[in-house]
Amino acid sequence: MLSTELKSQIQGAYSRFLEAKGLKPRYGQRLMIAEVAKVLGAISTDDENRRDSDPAVVAVEAGTGTGKTVAYALATIPIAKAAGKRLVIATATVALQEQIVHKDLPDLMRNSGLNFSFALAKGRGRYLCLSKLDMLLQEGQAQSATAQLFEEEGFKIDVDENSQKLFNQMIEKLAGNRWDGDRDSWPEALEDQHWARLTTDHSQCTNRHCPNFQQCAFYKAREGMTKVDVIVTNHDMVLADLALGGGAVLPDPRDTLYVFDEGHHLPDKAIGHFAHFTRLRSTADWLAQMEKNLIKLLAQHPLPGELGRLIEKVPELTRELRSQQQFMFAACEQLADFKAGEDMEGRERPRHRFVGGLVPEHLRELGIELKKGFSQLTDVFTRLAELLKQAMDGEPGLGIASHQAEEWYPLFGSLLARAQGNWELWTAFTVEDPENSPPMARWLTLADSGALYDIEVNASPILAAETLRRNLWNVAYGALVTSATLTALSTFDRFRMRAGLPKAAVTAIVPSPFHHADAGVLRVPDLKADPRDAAAHTAAIIRELPQMVEGARGTLVLFSSRKQMQDVFDGLERDWRKRVFIQGNLSKQETLNKHKARVDDGESSVLFGLASFAEGVDLPGAYCEHVVIAKIPFAVPDDPVEAALSEWIEARGGNPFMEIAVPDASLRLIQACGRLLRTEADRGTITLLDRRLVTQRYGKAILNALPPFRREIA
């Protein structure tokens, strides 16, 4: 049970915060604080201060305007500190991460009386690698000769005049303590291709063996993290840490209280982390290039002992693997009936999905051979990396000087990472799926590779439930998942299935402070056209749209398909088209800025957008007074992971349409409707141009799960 002391600490902090800001308590916010405190403030622990009870997980859906960040921070910071645990707040977007670090937490510290320290945790790829910068600035010296051999691996050494200028500026600013090596704090935007040459990943980093280790921006930032109470990061970083066993970059999960904000993204992010792919032709080219490079390397640096013997083994292994890659390419090409010159310009690349995740036996056997080959290659590179580490430590008798080992380590590290990636793919592609568990989705995609075409081989879990249960919920000290959209059709069933929430997880819905019935009206007009007849539906939208949105200063029109969006735009009168900004012509941010500027000038403006405009877009007040939704946003049925999930549910006697398609569409529709009211002062209209909401049974269930706006149904 929550202790009286902790309870009064949380209540006191909330009262002080409201008083200092001159705010009234919000019912939903109070409710959320209470729910979170009740579950996470009452975790029982053993003698080593580790949780010894069931997993402590709480999922809270909190509508827009609840003030979620304040609610969960006020509840979890005192709980984590009292339990001697660290608090990790993970978000799905950089925008929210920055808002929490630069606005919400400083505001809370100033006004609540709570005393805590916090830091932002980013991946290694956001920080400069000093050794790489050194190497680029010492361009043309003997030490680049080795890297030159590995240009394919991203070790490109030629530095043009502009880059030279940029790299010199960086060194000067670092030396004068005017820059901390963080990409995001460099005054100008850095091009991705420039930055890729300046950063590193864990497979290439020599860690404490690096001569720049003491000055390393990443390790300095990481060192700072060990001393703070609250770490703000993103879902990807938490998942990457868990994939490495937990506690590799972030604190040990057993000593961590997690908050997943925008938590509805977590299951999909987790699937992405455990999905694998490889391209057959480009991997064969890489193997050929590597063989050539290593033969050259040995010619330049004849090596005695185990190091030399290991490097000599590689060309033989790569030759074997290349012929296997060619057999696999021919077999896939034949099976999938891919033809060179197929329409690669179209939105969808030709694809062949293995039904039920079952790969034909002859293909599986070829995959097992590739898995064996890449396993041997991975072993050789792992051993080489270990020997190079020993050489960097100055161990005698290895036949390589420590400075030479230090230069080679990133090169062999990148080769190891790529060999391992291929081994993981072929393992996932050929493994037998356990009975009664969801199978892997497995498919081939035609891809372009320069002048030639390539075949991409994919394997992905179809649900992240088991992974999240095993690596996160069962291990963590405690966790909160929150978002404005966690339920679908008013229940948590969809999220429980996809996120693998433990049976004992507590779920709660806290209401938004918005008075939907006073603030907005939800219309379902009769267009006299069925959305399943695309041509008739598009023609009806072209006919009705101009007068439908008359009078609104800012309008957002959301489409489920790019084709329909373009067809509607093309069909509108030329004069009316001038007020429309269509997604895709400019960057998302630029499109929104131009729309806002036009509304600020007193003109009416219309935005045409797809799924990414239906979520996370913030257009308060006049910027969005009318949201028009073309049709129920059912997912396009060609996503191989979703198709495999539907198939699995059907095989077990379920109804994929009712269990997946309808709840998913309901969730997306709620997110789209969420674009209308962004503040308590907002007013407006939502128009849904899909009669299935009132004519079909599933449509009525979707309609009834929408926010309680006043309804006008034709």
Side-chain angles (χ1 to χ4, degrees):
M1 220 173 92
L2 184 66
S3 73
T4 319
E5 190 185 344
L6 204 47
K7 194 173 176 179
S8 61
Q9 195 188 346
I10 294 168
Q11 284 172 340
Y14 188 42
S15 304
R16 280 191 296 276
F17 180 78
L18 293 174
E19 200 176 321
K21 305 268 293 177
L23 298 169
K24 288 194 176 80
R26 296 179 190 176
Y27 172 66
Q29 198 173 46
R30 272 182 19 218
L31 202 59
M32 183 167 176
I33 293 171
E35 284 294 339
V36 174
K38 202 163 65 190
V39 178
L40 302 180
I43 299 169
S44 77
T45 53
D46 60 19
D47 301 340
E48 291 176 354
N49 196 23
R50 294 267 158 88
R51 175 175 56 76
D52 61 2
S53 52
D54 284 342
V57 181
V58 55
V60 180
E61 178 174 275
T64 310
T66 305
K68 281 194 295 289
T69 314
V70 168
Y72 66 63
L74 277 170
T76 53
I77 291 169
I79 289 169
K81 287 191 78 171
K85 304 295 175 193
R86 314 278 292 291
L87 178 65
V88 169
I89 298 173
T91 77
T93 57
V94 174
L96 182 57
Q97 218 174 320
E98 289 178 344
Q99 183 192 311
I100 291 170
V101 170
H102 301 306
K103 185 170 160 266
D104 298 337
L105 291 180
D107 188 34
L108 203 63
M109 255 174 105
R110 274 194 305 273
N111 298 303
S112 68
L114 289 177
N115 184 20
F116 60 94
S117 54
F118 59 92
L120 181 61
K122 303 180 196 181
R124 207 183 293 257
R126 305 304 296 174
Y127 294 98
L128 170 87
C129 168
L130 267 170
S131 295
K132 282 216 173 165
L133 183 59
D134 279 350
M135 193 162 79
L136 288 163
L137 287 170
Q138 293 166 19
E139 174 223 2
Q141 297 190 0
Q143 86 161 88
S144 345
T146 320
Q148 218 75 41
L149 292 176
F150 288 88
E151 212 170 304
E152 291 294 295
E153 299 309 310
F155 293 91
K156 191 167 169 291
I157 295 295
D158 327 322
V159 177
D160 60 30
E161 215 173 309
N162 283 347
S163 306
Q164 186 80 32
K165 215 163 105 185
L166 172 71
F167 300 158
N168 281 323
Q169 274 180 319
M170 286 180 165
I171 280 285
E172 280 164 29
K173 289 205 172 192
L174 284 164
N177 274 332
R178 298 197 313 281
W179 184 45
D180 57 1
D182 178 341
R183 179 180 182 172
D184 301 312
S185 60
W186 185 256
E188 293 96 44
L190 292 164
E191 294 290 325
D192 284 348
Q193 71 265 27
H194 278 321
W195 186 253
R197 302 172 65 181
L198 292 166
T199 188
T200 189
D201 60 31
H202 82 103
S203 68
Q204 297 175 32
C205 174
T206 57
N207 206 306
R208 60 187 176 79
H209 300 289
C210 175
N212 294 306
F213 181 68
Q214 296 303 326
Q215 288 79 46
C216 175
F218 170 68
Y219 281 103
K220 271 187 181 168
R222 197 166 141 185
E223 182 59 32
M225 264 170 23
T226 60
K227 302 181 176 79
V228 297
D229 304 310
V230 182
I231 295 169
V232 181
T233 186
N234 56 32
H235 295 180
D236 288 313
M237 183 106 159
V238 173
L239 291 162
D241 187 60
L242 295 172
L244 293 168
V249 180
L250 297 168
D252 185 325
R254 294 173 299 175
D255 296 319
T256 305
L257 193 57
Y258 293 97
V259 172
F260 293 98
D261 201 339
E262 302 173 304
H264 60 283
H265 287 293
L266 188 63
D268 287 340
K269 291 262 187 197
I271 285 177
H273 260 267
F274 296 94
H276 307 282
F277 75 92
T278 188
R279 288 191 171 184
L280 295 174
R281 198 190 290 274
S282 64
T283 303
D285 292 347
W286 168 72
L287 289 164
Q289 185 67 34
M290 177 169 63
E291 182 184 329
K292 211 164 66 195
N293 289 343
L294 291 178
I295 290 168
K296 260 195 234 167
L297 188 71
L298 279 177
Q300 287 173 12
H301 304 273
L303 284 169
E306 195 184 354
L307 257 175
R309 276 200 308 277
L310 282 167
I311 296 177
E312 278 166 11
K313 265 176 115 167
V314 176
E316 184 192 333
L317 277 172
T318 55
R319 278 193 290 273
E320 179 69 16
L321 270 167
R322 270 170 59 215
S323 68
Q324 287 168 1
Q325 291 271 128
Q326 278 149 1
F327 286 137
M328 180 57 100
F329 192 95
C332 290
E333 192 177 32
Q334 207 174 357
L335 178 85
D337 197 21
F338 286 147
K339 295 173 189 69
E342 279 198 51
D343 174 27
M344 300 294 288
E345 293 303 305
R347 198 176 61 84
E348 266 312 308
R349 296 183 302 179
R351 188 187 279 145
H352 176 91
R353 188 173 67 80
F354 298 103
V355 175
L358 293 171
V359 176
E361 197 49 41
H362 71 289
L363 218 58
R364 198 166 159 263
E365 282 167 10
L366 286 171
I368 288 170
E369 286 308 306
L370 281 164
K371 176 185 146 183
K372 280 184 200 154
F374 280 110
S375 169
Q376 289 171 306
L377 199 56
T378 301
D379 289 347
V380 169
F381 286 139
T382 304
R383 182 70 191 124
L384 275 168
E386 283 164 6
L387 289 170
L388 291 172
K389 271 186 188 163
Q390 289 169 21
M392 287 189 281
D393 277 336
E395 274 194 35
L398 292 168
I400 182 169
S402 65
H403 72 87
Q404 184 82 67
E406 190 197 308
E407 186 197 327
W408 285 15
Y409 185 85
L411 307 173
F412 283 102
S414 69
L415 298 176
L416 167 61
R418 191 155 174 183
Q420 199 167 356
N422 274 282
W423 173 77
E424 284 167 357
L425 174 276
W426 294 116
T427 302
F429 193 73
T430 56
V431 71
E432 286 199 32
D433 296 313
E435 265 186 73
N436 301 324
S437 287
M440 278 274 187
R442 298 178 175 94
W443 70 97
L444 308 171
T445 307
L446 191 66
D448 44 8
S449 171
L452 300 162
Y453 75 102
D454 208 339
I455 292 175
E456 191 175 277
V457 183
N458 294 267
S460 167
I462 57 174
L463 282 178
E466 194 44 52
T467 304
L468 288 172
R469 223 186 336 260
R470 196 174 50 242
N471 298 329
L472 178 61
W473 315 128
N474 290 351
V475 195
Y477 174 74
L480 158 70
V481 186
T482 186
S483 158
T485 45
L486 283 182
T487 61
L489 302 175
S490 310
T491 79
F492 280 90
D493 295 352
R494 175 191 181 277
F495 189 73
R496 276 186 180 276
M497 172 185 84
R498 289 186 180 259
L501 289 187
K503 280 193 173 65
V506 174
T507 56
I509 300 175
V510 305
S512 159
F514 298 159
H515 299 293
H516 290 83
D518 302 334
V521 60
L522 174 71
R523 292 199 177 118
V524 184
D526 187 358
L527 287 187
K528 306 274 190 289
D530 189 324
R532 287 166 290 201
D533 177 349
H537 189 240
T538 297
I541 296 176
I542 293 167
R543 191 177 62 241
E544 303 291 340
L545 187 68
Q547 81 192 63
M548 194 185 290
V549 302
E550 199 56 55
R553 286 171 295 176
T555 300
L556 175 62
V557 187
L558 295 167
F559 294 90
S560 297
S561 95
R562 186 176 294 277
K563 184 182 185 315
Q564 187 175 41
M565 176 170 82
Q566 195 60 55
D567 289 350
V568 168
F569 180 78
D570 294 342
L572 290 163
E573 282 181 17
R574 182 175 292 175
D575 268 0
W576 207 84
R577 254 186 295 186
K578 286 180 185 156
R579 69 176 75 182
V580 178
F581 288 114
I582 185 165
Q583 183 182 352
N585 292 347
L586 301 164
S587 77
K588 182 175 172 181
Q589 203 44 58
E590 237 172 313
T591 307
L592 294 174
N593 290 345
K594 283 193 179 302
H595 166 76
K596 287 177 177 176
R598 195 184 277 168
V599 174
D600 289 339
D601 288 345
E603 295 176 53
S604 60
S605 180
V606 181
L607 275 173
F608 276 18
L610 298 162
S612 64
F613 273 56
E615 186 192 349
V617 166
D618 202 22
L619 295 166
Y623 298 135
C624 182
E625 295 178 335
H626 197 156
V627 177
V628 179
I629 300 164
K631 55 182 173 187
I632 299 172
F634 286 115
V636 187
D638 56 11
D639 179 276
V641 174
E642 290 296 312
L645 180 59
S646 297
E647 204 170 68
W648 179 66
I649 284 174
E650 200 163 0
R652 297 169 75 229
N655 177 342
F657 181 69
M658 293 309 292
E659 288 178 47
I660 296 177
V662 172
D664 284 5
S666 165
L667 189 78
R668 280 192 281 270
L669 199 54
I670 292 168
Q671 282 165 343
C673 291
R675 295 316 97 211
L676 184 68
L677 306 184
R678 306 306 296 164
T679 72
E680 291 188 50
D682 289 353
R683 299 285 179 270
T685 304
I686 291 174
T687 305
L688 288 163
L689 306 178
D690 192 332
R691 292 294 290 174
R692 289 174 295 178
L693 284 161
V694 289
T695 60
Q696 303 293 325
R697 211 167 91 204
Y698 68 78
K700 288 174 189 161
I702 292 175
L703 184 64
N704 291 333
L706 293 177
F709 292 106
R710 224 167 48 254
R711 287 184 188 175
E712 288 179 8
I713 292 172

